[in-house]
């Protein structure tokens, strides 16, 4: 009798908890497929399904980020935040500017200069020189920081700056700190540099620790000069004694008021990680004076309260295009909304070109991407695959006037699972520079056709189709 009573009590408790968890999934999961999947897991795997949902199904990082940021002190004003979004009101791109303002809550700032740096050969010397010239502070956030190769030069430069009395903060993503033996983290820490790892798991085996990564690349010197883009401090990009790089990349030197948005993003990430608020004593309080003609805005995006920002920006840009779109990305695994927007632009008569590597450093991502190709090819978009060293460049150019640059890829990991930083820039001069670089790279690339895709062996097509099933996690 007691055993029967206990069994019934356990069954009722399990059912009650399953109902509560199911309700949470129905209320808070953004996608119907995700909610349905969790309902199936919870009810067909009693107890285990509930534990899985509590472990990896709830985005606690969002709540923690909101809590920390709600107690954070605002940065001292360093620039008049005059929003120039409305100056584009009568422009063909005015609607896009308003969309990004609503999505980010940030003003569009005038007076910026953004300079492209091609490959590690140009980017690394510029970054090292900036570190060598630093007088007040250096803030560095990176996804990968190798101890060897080019990393040795960065370590030496940071240590030299510290000896000069420059305040330094280094933030490296935790996955590469823990899982890559060559990470510079332990060496920097042993040398006494203030270094932290972003979002380490409370439980080392926590399943979703591979997600929620800080993929941003930010170097800010004296609160006035910034570098951002897609380049890690990573041996394959370049080193002086080995000029033939295994990776190609675009990075950007940034001057002007928009550096403030980079400062704000690093400040939030550092406070989130170590509970230290970087203020004017670190960044300086002198105003950021205009230095160029570009209108620019920082786009901080991630799986916390900034979720979906980049998706809205990409969709807005695709819908605003009237002449041409250039997408340059190492990982092309768009969701259905982006596929539809690309196709719709091509059907409107917009020239749509997508450039991606012929050989990827993550084969599963490439297979999943190729499984999506036909959906844009059949509506007139063109896809180009570039041979040679792996091309890790990331940018989007619309109508020769609008540019989006930064760390984000065209894949679910960047759009939903990682913390990213991009800049939107309204500058015909920069856009034309990047279009020239894009066309030069495209001349080396191979045009992918629907006929080629259909002619591939059936096992290859089945492999790519199977890889596509994992797209939400890639």
């Amino acid at each position: 009798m007691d055993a029967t009573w206990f069994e019934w009590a356990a069954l009722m408790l399990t059912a009650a908890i399953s109902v509560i968890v199911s309700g949470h999934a129905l209320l808070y999961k953004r996608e119907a497929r995700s909610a349905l999947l969790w309902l199936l897991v919870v009810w067909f795997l009693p107890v285990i399904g509930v534990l899985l949902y509590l472990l990896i199904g709830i985005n606690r990082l969002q709540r923690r980020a909101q809590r920390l940021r709600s107690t954070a002190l605002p940065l001292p004003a360093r620039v008049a935040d005059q929003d120039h979004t409305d100056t584009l009101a009568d422009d063909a791109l005015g609607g896009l500017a308003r969309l990004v303002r609503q999505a980010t809550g940030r003003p569009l700032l005038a007076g910026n200069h953004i300079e492209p740096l091609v490959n590690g050969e140009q980017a690394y010397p510029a970054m090292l020189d900036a570190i060598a010239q630093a007088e007040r502070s250096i803030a560095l956030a990176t996804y990968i920081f190798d101890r060897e190769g080019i990393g040795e030069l960065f370590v030496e430069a940071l240590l030299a700056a510290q000896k000069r009395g420059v305040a330094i903060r280094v933030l490296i993503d935790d996955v590469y700190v823990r899982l890559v033996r060559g990470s510079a983290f332990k060496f920097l820490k042993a040398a006494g540099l203030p270094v932290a790892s972003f979002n380490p798991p409370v439980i080392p085996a926590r399943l979703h620790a591979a997600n929620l990564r800080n993929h941003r690349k930010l170097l800010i010197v004296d609160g006035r000069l910034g570098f951002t883009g897609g380049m890690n401090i990573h041996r394959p990009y370049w080193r002086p004694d080995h000029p033939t790089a295994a990776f190609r990349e675009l990075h950007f030197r940034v001057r002007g008021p928009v550096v403030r948005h980079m400062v704000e993003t690093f400040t939030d990430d550092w406070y989130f990680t170590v509970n230290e608020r970087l203020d004017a004593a670190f960044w300086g309080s002198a105003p950021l004076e205009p230095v160029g003609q570009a209108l620019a805005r920082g786009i901080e995006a991630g799986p916390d309260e900034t979720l979906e920002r980049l998706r809205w920006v990409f969709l807005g840009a695709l819908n605003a295009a009237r002449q041409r779109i250039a997408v340059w990305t190492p990982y092309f695994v768009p969701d259905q909304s982006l596929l539809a927007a690309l196709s719709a632009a091509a059907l409107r008569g917009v020239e749509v070109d997508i450039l991606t590597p012929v050989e990827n450093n993550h084969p599963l991502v490439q297979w999943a991407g190729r499984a999506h190709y036909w959906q844009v090819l059949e509506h007139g978009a063109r896809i180009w695959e570039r041979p040679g060293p792996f091309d890790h460049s990331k940018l989007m150019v619309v109508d020769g006037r609008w540019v989006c640059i930064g760390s984000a890829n065209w894949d679910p990991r960047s759009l939903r699972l990682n913390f990213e930083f991009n800049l939107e820039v309204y500058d015909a001069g920069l856009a034309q520079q990047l279009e020239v670089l894009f066309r030069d790279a495209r001349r080396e690339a191979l045009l992918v056709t629907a006929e080629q895709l259909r002619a591939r062996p059936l096992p290859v097509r089945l492999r790519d189709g199977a890889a596509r099933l994992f797209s939400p996690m890639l």
Side-chain angles (χ1 to χ4, degrees):
M1 176 74 83
D2 290 341
T4 302
W5 179 88
F6 178 79
E7 291 170 356
W8 274 105
L11 180 63
M12 295 300 292
L13 179 61
T14 301
I17 295 174
S18 297
V19 167
I20 294 171
V21 169
S22 299
H24 189 280
L26 289 171
L27 290 173
Y28 295 107
K29 289 299 172 185
R30 291 174 177 262
E31 295 185 4
R33 290 179 300 174
S34 177
L36 177 59
L37 177 62
W38 278 114
L39 290 177
L40 293 174
V41 170
V42 166
W43 288 102
F44 283 92
L45 294 174
V47 180
I48 295 176
V50 169
L51 292 175
L52 286 173
Y53 185 81
L54 295 176
L55 182 64
I56 65 175
I58 300 174
N59 187 354
R60 294 180 181 82
L61 193 65
Q62 179 177 2
R63 297 179 181 181
R64 181 174 174 229
Q66 289 173 334
R67 184 175 68 252
L68 287 176
R69 289 176 177 136
S70 68
T71 60
L73 299 174
L75 283 170
R78 302 191 60 221
V79 62
D81 288 340
Q82 182 179 356
D83 188 354
H84 288 261
T85 300
D86 290 337
T87 64
L88 298 170
D90 298 327
D91 191 281
L93 296 174
L96 175 58
R98 288 191 295 274
L99 182 152
V100 182
R101 178 178 61 186
Q102 293 298 320
T104 64
R106 278 179 167 160
L108 184 63
L109 302 177
N112 303 287
H113 180 75
I114 292 92
E115 177 187 356
L117 303 170
V118 181
N119 299 328
E121 184 179 358
Q122 291 184 6
Y124 287 145
M127 295 166 73
L128 289 167
D129 181 66
I131 292 172
Q133 300 299 321
E135 298 177 353
R136 173 186 291 273
S137 64
I138 298 168
L140 172 64
T142 184
Y143 188 54
I144 302 172
F145 193 154
D146 284 340
R147 169 68 181 91
E148 299 178 353
I150 189 64
E152 294 179 15
L153 298 182
F154 275 88
V155 169
E156 292 171 4
L158 290 170
L159 291 175
Q162 185 185 47
K163 289 180 181 178
R164 297 197 309 271
V166 176
I168 296 173
R169 300 293 186 275
V170 179
L171 185 62
I172 309 172
D173 184 73
D174 182 72
V175 163
Y176 275 86
V177 168
R178 287 186 296 116
L179 302 183
V180 177
R181 294 180 61 185
S183 172
F185 178 83
K186 290 183 179 179
F187 183 87
L188 293 170
K189 192 169 186 179
L193 282 170
V195 58
S197 62
F198 181 86
N199 193 32
V202 177
I203 304 172
R206 194 179 69 192
L207 297 180
H208 71 291
N211 300 326
L212 310 177
R213 306 314 334 149
N214 194 331
H215 195 240
R216 295 166 179 155
K217 288 87 175 176
L218 298 170
L219 172 62
I220 309 161
V221 175
D222 294 336
R224 308 181 63 80
L225 173 63
F227 294 83
T228 192
M231 188 168 293
N232 297 290
I233 302 173
H234 195 27
R235 283 170 290 181
Y237 287 109
W238 181 75
R239 54 181 293 173
D241 59 344
H242 194 270
T244 303
F247 280 14
R248 292 183 282 206
E249 179 66 277
L250 286 174
H251 214 60
F252 297 86
R253 179 160 40 200
V254 183
R255 294 186 177 93
V258 79
V259 173
R260 175 180 172 83
H261 293 168
M262 301 172 69
V263 165
E264 291 170 349
T265 299
F266 187 92
T267 299
D268 280 350
D269 286 349
W270 187 258
Y271 182 69
F272 175 88
T273 304
V274 301
N275 280 355
E276 179 192 13
R277 187 69 177 178
L278 303 177
D279 56 18
F282 182 84
W283 298 112
S285 56
L288 290 166
E289 300 294 340
V291 295
Q293 302 300 315
L295 299 173
R297 174 168 24 217
I299 303 170
E300 181 182 357
D304 55 359
E305 68 268 25
T306 62
L307 183 68
E308 303 288 356
R309 279 184 180 172
L310 280 171
R311 185 193 309 278
W312 285 115
V313 172
F314 288 171
L315 288 172
L318 294 173
N319 290 326
R322 293 296 177 266
Q323 299 170 15
R324 58 191 182 276
I325 297 167
V327 174
W328 198 346
T329 179
Y331 312 114
F332 181 67
V333 191
D335 62 18
Q336 286 303 126
S337 63
L338 291 171
L339 287 168
L342 285 164
S343 298
L347 289 170
R348 292 198 310 271
V350 177
E351 184 180 289
V352 179
D353 286 292
I354 300 154
L355 181 63
T356 193
V358 72
E359 293 292 341
N360 205 292
N361 64 334
H362 296 301
L364 188 63
V365 176
Q366 187 166 43
W367 300 340
R370 283 177 175 159
H372 291 95
Y373 280 8
W374 66 272
Q375 296 188 61
V376 291
L377 291 179
E378 69 175 358
H379 296 114
R382 296 184 296 186
I383 298 177
W384 306 80
E385 292 188 337
R386 189 184 189 188
F390 176 59
D391 194 338
H392 196 248
S393 306
K394 317 165 196 292
L395 64 82
M396 182 179 182
V397 184
V398 170
D399 290 350
R401 295 179 52 226
W402 181 89
V403 173
C404 190
I405 56 176
S407 63
N409 300 306
W410 278 59
D411 63 10
R413 185 161 293 278
S414 279
L415 295 177
R416 294 190 60 83
L417 300 177
N418 286 343
F419 291 85
E420 308 283 359
F421 182 85
N422 275 37
L423 289 173
E424 72 152 348
V425 186
Y426 298 80
D427 182 0
L430 175 64
Q432 289 164 15
Q433 277 184 278
L434 296 177
E435 284 188 325
V436 169
L437 292 173
F438 184 88
R439 288 195 296 269
D440 289 345
R442 192 181 64 187
R443 274 193 284 270
E444 303 175 2
L446 308 172
L447 180 63
V448 179
T449 66
E451 292 75 16
Q452 292 171 346
L453 291 176
R454 288 192 292 268
R456 294 177 303 158
L458 179 60
V460 172
R461 287 182 284 149
L462 290 173
R463 177 202 65 190
D464 293 354
R468 186 178 62 166
L469 299 177
F470 296 92
S471 294
M473 296 175 285
L474 296 178

